[in-house]
Amino acid sequence: MLAYSLKRLLLAVLVAVTVSVGSFALLRAAGDPAVAMAGHSATASDIEFIRETYGFNRPLPVQYADWLVKALQGDFGESLYFRMPVSRMLADKLPTTMTLGGLALAFALCVGLPLGIIAAIRPNSWIDRAALLVSVTGQAMPTFWFALVLVVLFSITFPLLPPSGSGTWKHFVMPTVVLGYYATPAIMRLTRAGMLEVLASDYIRTARAKGLHPAVVLLKHALRNAVIPVVSLSAVQFGFMLGGSVVVETVFALHGTGQLAWESISRSDLPTVQAIVLVLSSFYVVLSLIADLLNAWLDPRIRVA
Amino acid sequence: MSHALRAVAAAATAILLSFAAPAPASAGKADDTLNIAWAGELPTLDRYFNVLREGELVARMVFDSLLTVDPQTFDYKPLLASSYRFVDNRTIEFELRRDVRFHDGEPFDADDVVYTLNLMADPATRVLSRQNVDWIEKVEKIDTHMVRLTMKAPTPLALEYLSGPLLIYPRDYYSKVGSQGMGLRPVGTGPYKVTAFDPGKRIVFEANRAYFDGSPKGRPTIGRIVQRTIPDQNTQIAELLSGGVDWIWNVPNDQAAKLASMPNVVVQNAQTMRFGYLAFDASNRTGHASPVNDVRVRQAIAHSIDRKTIVKRLVRGASEVIDAVCFPTQFGCVQDVATYDYDPVKAKALLAEAGYPNGLDIEFHAYRDRPVAEAMIGYMKAVGINAKLTYLQYEALRDKVYNGETDFTFMSWGSYSINDAAASVSQFFKGSKDDYARDPQVIGWLEGADSAIDPATRKDLYGKALRRIAEQAYWQPLFTYNVNYVHSKDIAFTPTADEIPRFYAVTWK
């Protein structure tokens, strides 16, 4: 287990480093940050001035090394755009994204788990088909479309919820549903598949034969085993939602890290983008590391794979 | 955005608009709060360190400059100065107002003017738009309410800079808190003061009840203005329809047309100083022999495009076709230049004459208005010009332009809202990295025009340059842009051609 954990940890660090190098190189390739900073009306000399002032004319490896050393000490530099410490901006925006991600995951679990269980109990019934429909629409519907439909319904036709902004719980209702709905199908399908497999196994037949209450068989014996892959999937889904909430945050003007990342990319605010990529990918790496270790602990066969 | 996504977005807006119930009476008027939204995130409220147009809107509310421009007549009017006079063509003296106080109660005087302008003109201060300040040599105090400004060289745009970007800051406050402090908690003399600023999210303004009488900006009448940053256009519309905001802008024409039919909503379309143009590599900066090095090919391209139809069908609104490389109201922007009307037959003839009887292939770059770029490609194809479009982010395209890697490009220019040809033609034809023509004659005329003070001389020189540029088809000017302002019926709002909404002049109806 220790050898496996170490191997897995080393891999995680490698992934994080690769992501940081990759994002650094890609961002530089996307356009001159000095041009982006100077704005659309700047003259050539304005841009030259900024390039020198901010050191964008130094060799790329030097710029990367400089950034990495500071980042490892928790100093992500100053946002080229907001001219304030990136760490402070992240501290300001991460809670919004975390809240949204957490709520959305909770929503997805609350909808996906029961639907998956019910669908597994009655395979090929109308409930199973309805669950399949939920899963297909959830994956096929563009999030911003779904978001707008909700806005029309609940902000304009029936003005119950604010269409955008943050501050009250009401602001989080629609974003949570939209983001959560997107994550629901995977959880539902995995639950259904796991339950179907477990329900067909010998020990469940034994449990039933012993005359145990069906609910006990289902929730205590079957679900416990079927849900294991769902737990690791949820960890990964949570990581995905932290990074993938750009559209939802933009549509609902939630001002979290997703939207900040999107805006920062478009204005080549390199220190901000790099910090977000590093923090979110580290988060993702840590979550999948935990999931992997958890799986290895649960199923010893994985360790030798 | 891909075509499919764009189509879905358009359909989503259609749903939004067709299901939308009439907007409820806005809460804004009831509690004397004007709620406005825009997409731009302001990094700082220190105007010398942000370059966004939204920054200009905020600056005009919070700060004053020595002079101001009448948005309708473009005349200069004293603002923080009570009067000014040219001592010679490099020196201006300003008599200052005595009844002005900053938001923190400090009285305004010559020290503030001397401090601000000298500080910002110092290269070490690193203000972002150097051209606004580079021309200032020094500013001296004559007495408490009198200053003298000396230019490095005669600068025809001096009054333009002094009436817009050169805001006056309070010396004591700024020297204490610096740009970062000013950026978060600005203190000015303007009609509104900032009471809260959450960068990237919102700004709260309160009327400055002590604003000085007799300001050409007028006294503020609305008690509170709250700005929110909403990046998504559809969300802005939803907020407007649900009464959450009272004012939005830059609404695309399709959506604006639908919104215009709604009760409680007013749509105003106005022309802006921004115009679109095609820029050709006339001086062979790319290094490879490009067809557009030949004037006849440039003229053929110009003749091949039906600009009138593009304006009528695609750009719409108050936009119009232009022929000179400047905005028509700009000082020195003459109109008696060579024009290139839609004439595909002539275009083909010119191509044949240039040695391309069977047409040609060429690279074409653009960064905005893809439908317009594609329409132009269609027109060019009809005369045998196969333009291969590379659509890029502005930053990446500007990089290519600087490095001399583009044959011809579809670009736009807003002249920083300065009503003078120096801000358009001189920007691109005076031999800088942006100059694809590199015409020594044009450069000479423009250098003369930009350093002369006599209006007649300047006009004459700009005219010469503009006529030569048109005749050589270094650029093909296309059309002016327009902006849709959409707001609640409760407010009286007047759009201006300089694309600077003046919220301090908005009143309740």
Side-chain angles (χ1 to χ4, degrees):
Chain A
M1 184 71 194
L2 185 70
Y4 174 80
S5 303
L6 281 175
K7 214 170 88 185
R8 196 57 197 78
L9 192 68
L10 189 71
L11 196 68
V13 172
L14 269 176
V15 169
V17 171
T18 312
V19 166
S20 77
V21 173
S23 65
F24 187 88
L26 275 175
L27 283 168
R28 288 302 195 282
D32 189 337
V35 177
M37 269 186 85
H40 286 202
S41 324
T43 62
S45 60
D46 287 345
I47 292 166
E48 197 50 49
F49 180 78
I50 289 172
R51 189 173 290 131
E52 272 176 33
T53 307
Y54 289 91
F56 296 136
N57 49 359
R58 292 177 301 161
L60 281 185
V62 175
Q63 289 185 51
Y64 175 75
D66 186 41
W67 170 75
L68 190 67
V69 168
K70 283 187 185 146
L72 289 175
Q73 296 160 355
D75 172 13
F76 294 113
E78 213 177 57
S79 158
L80 298 182
Y81 191 74
F82 288 106
R83 305 211 312 150
M84 54 169 81
V86 174
S87 48
R88 206 171 91 201
M89 285 164 55
L90 281 180
D92 182 38
K93 310 236 173 192
L94 261 176
T96 304
T97 304
M98 292 287 215
T99 308
L100 178 62
L103 287 171
L105 183 66
F107 175 89
L109 287 172
C110 288
V111 176
L113 275 178
L115 269 184
I117 295 170
I118 297 171
I121 300 172
R122 302 254 179 284
N124 301 320
S125 68
W126 68 269
I127 289 183
D128 191 17
R129 288 205 193 94
L132 188 72
L133 186 74
V134 168
S135 132
V136 168
T137 48
Q139 277 174 339
M141 200 161 40
T143 41
F144 68 96
W145 162 280
F146 185 39
L148 279 171
V149 170
L150 288 188
V151 166
V152 170
L153 271 175
F154 298 108
S155 298
I156 299 176
T157 314
F158 308 104
L160 299 168
L161 298 166
S164 71
S166 52
T168 69
W169 64 269
K170 278 188 172 180
H171 287 101
F172 280 94
V173 176
M174 288 193 286
T176 298
V177 172
V178 173
L179 192 62
Y181 191 42
Y182 189 70
T184 303
I187 289 176
M188 197 206 83
R189 289 179 150 190
L190 203 63
T191 310
R192 180 182 179 273
M195 283 298 277
L196 274 177
E197 200 188 319
V198 171
L199 285 176
S201 61
D202 292 342
Y203 77 91
I204 294 293
R205 202 177 307 129
T206 311
R208 280 191 178 133
K210 282 199 297 187
L212 286 176
H213 192 276
V216 176
V217 174
L218 204 66
L219 297 177
K220 207 174 160 195
H221 293 260
L223 186 62
R224 233 181 169 176
N225 284 306
V227 90
I228 288 164
V230 178
V231 173
S232 44
L233 173 77
S234 302
V236 178
Q237 285 275 26
F238 185 57
F240 178 77
M241 276 191 265
L242 292 184
S245 60
V246 177
V247 174
V248 174
E249 286 181 15
T250 304
V251 169
F252 292 103
L254 264 174
H255 305 291
T257 44
Q259 200 213 326
L260 181 69
W262 170 252
E263 294 288 336
S264 301
I265 289 166
S266 60
R267 54 190 168 227
S268 297
D269 187 352
L270 304 176
T272 310
V273 182
Q274 278 157 16
I276 295 175
V277 169
L278 190 76
V279 168
L280 290 188
S281 58
S282 305
F283 216 89
Y284 200 91
V285 166
V286 169
L287 283 172
S288 38
L289 178 69
I290 291 173
D292 278 2
L293 294 180
L294 197 69
N295 275 345
W297 176 66
L298 289 166
D299 188 347
R301 284 170 298 179
I302 295 173
R303 289 176 225 164
V304 287
Chain B
M1 212 191 293
S2 75
H3 281 287
L5 272 182
R6 200 187 286 274
V8 177
T13 314
I15 291 192
L16 193 79
L17 291 169
S18 55
F19 281 83
S26 152
K29 194 176 177 181
D31 61 1
D32 197 21
T33 301
L34 174 68
N35 293 294
I36 59 177
W38 60 57
E41 289 189 27
L42 281 179
T44 165
L45 300 186
D46 182 345
R47 180 59 185 157
Y48 288 97
F49 295 94
N50 78 58
V51 288
L52 276 179
R53 180 157 292 268
E54 286 82 359
E56 185 67 34
L57 319 190
V58 171
R60 302 250 173 166
M61 294 165 82
V62 181
F63 302 104
D64 290 317
S65 35
L66 288 173
L67 313 173
T68 188
V69 183
D70 183 305
Q72 309 301 335
T73 63
F74 297 108
D75 290 337
Y76 300 114
K77 289 182 173 172
L79 183 59
L80 285 176
S82 51
S83 67
Y84 65 94
R85 70 179 189 98
F86 275 88
V87 179
D88 56 52
N89 65 4
R90 280 184 51 217
T91 317
I92 323 175
E93 279 182 5
F94 296 88
E95 179 84 44
L96 305 178
R97 280 183 180 274
R98 290 155 191 269
D99 54 350
V100 180
R101 279 178 184 276
F102 286 99
H103 297 153
D104 62 357
E106 279 295 304
F108 156 80
D109 61 31
D111 289 330
D112 302 304
V113 179
V114 171
Y115 170 78
T116 309
L117 297 184
N118 283 332
L119 177 73
M120 299 309 170
D122 181 356
T125 309
R126 299 174 173 185
V127 304
L128 288 181
S129 292
R130 299 289 322 156
Q131 79 278 3
N132 289 343
V133 290
D134 261 349
W135 57 281
I136 299 174
E137 185 173 287
K138 60 176 185 221
V139 183
E140 301 154 293
K141 176 179 174 177
I142 297 176
D143 64 41
T144 318
H145 294 98
M146 185 97 167
V147 295
R148 180 187 296 131
L149 183 149
T150 312
M151 311 171 205
K152 287 176 184 158
T155 310
L157 283 184
L159 295 184
E160 192 65 50
Y161 293 134
L162 287 164
S163 60
L166 296 180
L167 309 160
I168 304 302
Y169 286 176
R171 182 185 68 169
D172 295 346
Y173 182 71
Y174 200 76
S175 53
K176 201 167 76 201
V177 303
S179 179
Q180 277 218 338
M182 187 62 129
L184 285 170
R185 294 278 168 271
V187 169
T189 57
Y192 280 88
K193 43 188 166 187
V194 171
T195 53
F197 173 45
D198 210 343
K201 285 187 205 164
R202 65 174 205 147
I203 314 170
V204 180
F205 305 89
E206 303 275 352
N208 174 10
R209 298 296 179 197
Y211 194 55
F212 59 97
D213 286 321
S215 163
K217 288 180 170 178
R219 289 182 75 92
T221 63
I222 292 178
R224 199 158 177 260
I225 299 179
V226 177
Q227 180 275 338
R228 280 177 53 207
T229 295
I230 302 178
D232 187 79
Q233 186 85 64
N234 292 313
T235 311
Q236 289 182 11
I237 293 174
E239 282 282 7
L240 186 86
L241 292 176
S242 64
V245 301
D246 305 296
W247 183 99
I248 57 176
W249 73 334
N250 289 325
V251 178
N253 279 309
D254 293 330
Q255 277 134 307
K258 291 187 190 102
L259 284 164
S261 64
M262 306 226 141
N264 302 327
V265 172
V266 178
V267 176
Q268 297 195 69
N269 181 279
Q271 202 180 29
T272 80
M273 260 188 201
R274 181 166 293 276
F275 60 87
Y277 63 88
L278 299 175
F280 301 105
D281 178 26
S283 60
N284 191 19
R285 280 182 60 190
T286 56
H288 65 256
S290 169
V292 293
N293 298 157
D294 188 322
V295 62
R296 289 165 298 189
V297 174
R298 302 198 293 269
Q299 289 170 332
I301 291 174
H303 275 303
S304 73
I305 295 165
D306 185 353
R307 295 174 292 159
K308 278 191 186 131
T309 303
I310 288 178
V311 167
K312 206 168 127 197
R313 298 271 161 79
L314 291 174
V315 192
R316 293 184 283 182
S319 291
E320 57 184 358
V321 167
I322 54 163
D323 294 303
V325 299
C326 44
F327 186 75
T329 67
Q330 283 180 325
F331 176 86
C333 187
V334 301
Q335 302 300 320
D336 58 331
V337 298
T339 58
Y340 300 92
D341 294 334
Y342 177 52
D343 191 342
V345 177
K346 202 167 177 182
K348 276 186 183 164
L350 279 163
L351 282 180
E353 207 183 299
Y356 302 100
N358 303 317
L360 56 90
D361 296 325
I362 192 164
E363 298 269 335
F364 177 45
H365 287 85
Y367 77 98
R368 65 181 279 167
D369 303 300
R370 198 170 181 130
V372 173
E374 281 167 357
M376 290 193 290
I377 288 173
Y379 280 120
M380 286 187 274
K381 199 164 182 86
V383 300
I385 300 164
N386 290 311
K388 193 178 141 253
L389 177 66
T390 307
Y391 197 79
L392 294 169
Q393 287 282 322
Y394 177 82
E395 286 74 19
L397 179 51
R398 187 101 191 229
D399 244 10
K400 280 187 171 290
V401 168
Y402 280 171
N403 297 334
E405 294 169 6
T406 55
D407 288 316
F408 87 110
T409 50
F410 166 35
M411 306 289 281
S412 82
W413 182 243
S415 293
Y416 320 104
S417 295
I418 290 175
N419 197 48
D420 193 296
S424 49
V425 61
S426 304
Q427 191 78 42
F428 293 94
F429 290 94
K430 251 169 86 177
S432 77
K433 276 184 170 179
D434 275 311
D435 187 353
Y436 260 67
R438 298 289 166 102
D439 184 329
Q441 212 173 4
V442 172
I443 295 172
W445 283 324
L446 291 176
E447 274 169 356
D450 288 350
S451 54
I453 290 290
D454 173 41
T457 312
R458 296 188 66 218
K459 207 165 187 167
D460 177 54
L461 290 169
Y462 286 130
K464 281 183 172 145
L466 289 168
R467 278 186 284 269
R468 165 94 183 149
I469 290 165
E471 185 191 295
Q472 290 294 317
Y474 291 140
W475 271 20
Q476 170 62 353
L478 299 167
F479 47 76
T480 59
Y481 278 94
N482 64 79
V483 169
N484 285 308
Y485 305 85
V486 184
H487 58 82
S488 107
K489 273 213 164 95
D490 288 343
I491 57 169
F493 167 78
T494 314
T496 48
D498 59 11
E499 219 182 315
I500 299 171
R502 286 156 169 83
F503 294 110
Y504 53 80
V506 173
T507 54
W508 296 118
K509 269 193 182 162

